[in-house]
Amino acid sequence: MPLLDMGRRLLSRVGCDCPLCGARVAGARLCPGCQADVTAAPTGAPPRCPRCGLRPPAGASHCAACLGEPRAFSRTVAAFDYEPPADALILMLKTQLRLSMAPVLARLMAAAVRADAPLPAGILLVPVPASRASLRQRGMNPAAEIARGLAAELALPVPSHALARRRETPRQATLGRGARQRGAAGLFLCTGRVRGRHVAVVDDVMTTGSTVNAAAHALLKAGASSVTVLVAARTP
């Protein structure tokens, strides 16, 4: 067994500290109190838009953007909003390179899926491919690490290299909404067998939805039956 995979398995079994409060927990996870704080909706907040995961105005079932702008994906499940203290979990994985955060995030996402609605039987989990610059900087793809943990939690397959980037793009964090949409258009190519299959695109954070939408377009073009988006965090 590769050392990295062995390390991932050990992280899920041995005792460790809750990454947010330091309480002792069994395995790579949050303590019950921190998990409740991270996943709880703000007081009085309406349910998320089922299409994109944003919280629409009270009384609306879908957000205005989804009603006015068609999206290639049909559903989004987000474990929590990308704001303190939950955003620290993402930053630990992406900037501190703490691989132990991937199974923590995967467990939160699996719980969100179970609380939302069942996924189609046999759905494939496809992580958003990282850029070459990101891979050089981090040595890993956060979305792929999360997808691996989510596959273990939900007993679902993760096909290798189902999506590929056609080109490199600037860091999304430096771009506005319009620039993100233009940069993501036609960004991905489906290189796996997805015809007739339901597919779930997995990513760490969804901000404008441009990246996952581009991934969904590529998968549908390759014959996927439908595309769901599974993210750890949704930017409010």
Side-chain angles (χ1 to χ4, degrees):
M1 179 186 297
L3 288 178
L4 189 58
D5 288 341
M6 187 180 296
R8 292 189 186 100
R9 292 197 176 189
L10 287 173
L11 282 171
S12 66
R13 295 175 182 174
V14 301
C16 58
D17 295 336
C18 172
L20 292 181
C21 74
R24 197 66 175 168
V25 292
R29 66 188 71 222
L30 299 181
C31 70
C34 285
Q35 178 161 333
D37 289 343
V38 163
T39 58
T43 303
R48 295 183 186 276
C49 169
R51 178 62 64 88
C52 75
L54 282 178
R55 299 188 188 278
S61 59
H62 289 69
C63 69
C66 286
L67 292 174
E69 180 183 348
R71 299 181 187 269
F73 51 90
S74 59
R75 174 188 173 197
T76 296
V77 180
F80 52 83
D81 287 330
Y82 189 62
E83 55 187 9
D87 58 348
L89 302 173
I90 302 289
L91 297 175
M92 288 178 200
L93 175 62
K94 297 180 71 171
T95 64
Q96 299 178 27
L97 307 183
R98 290 176 57 177
L99 286 176
S100 59
M101 290 304 101
V104 171
L105 294 168
R107 285 193 177 95
L108 293 173
M109 292 167 68
V113 168
R114 295 183 185 110
D116 188 76
L119 294 171
I123 194 169
L124 303 176
L125 301 182
V126 174
V128 171
S131 66
R132 285 197 295 269
S134 174
L135 286 173
R136 284 195 301 269
Q137 178 184 1
R138 297 190 178 108
M140 56 90 178
N141 176 6
E145 294 297 323
I146 293 170
R148 187 177 289 107
L150 190 57
E153 288 289 324
L154 299 177
L156 293 173
V158 184
S160 300
H161 311 296
L163 280 177
R165 284 179 176 255
R166 294 178 181 271
R167 61 184 184 275
E168 294 300 294
T169 56
R171 287 184 63 247
Q172 292 287 79
T174 67
L175 304 176
R177 182 180 182 86
R180 286 175 185 242
Q181 292 175 332
R182 291 189 296 272
L187 178 58
F188 299 108
L189 171 69
C190 181
T191 53
R193 296 180 179 179
V194 300
R195 183 168 298 280
R197 301 294 297 271
H198 297 286
V199 180
V201 173
V202 179
D203 208 358
D204 48 12
V205 181
M206 180 176 172
T207 303
T208 65
S210 300
T211 299
V212 291
N213 199 52
H217 271 296
L219 292 164
L220 292 176
K221 186 176 180 180
S225 295
S226 68
V227 177
T228 296
V229 175
L230 305 178
V231 293
R234 182 66 164 102
T235 302

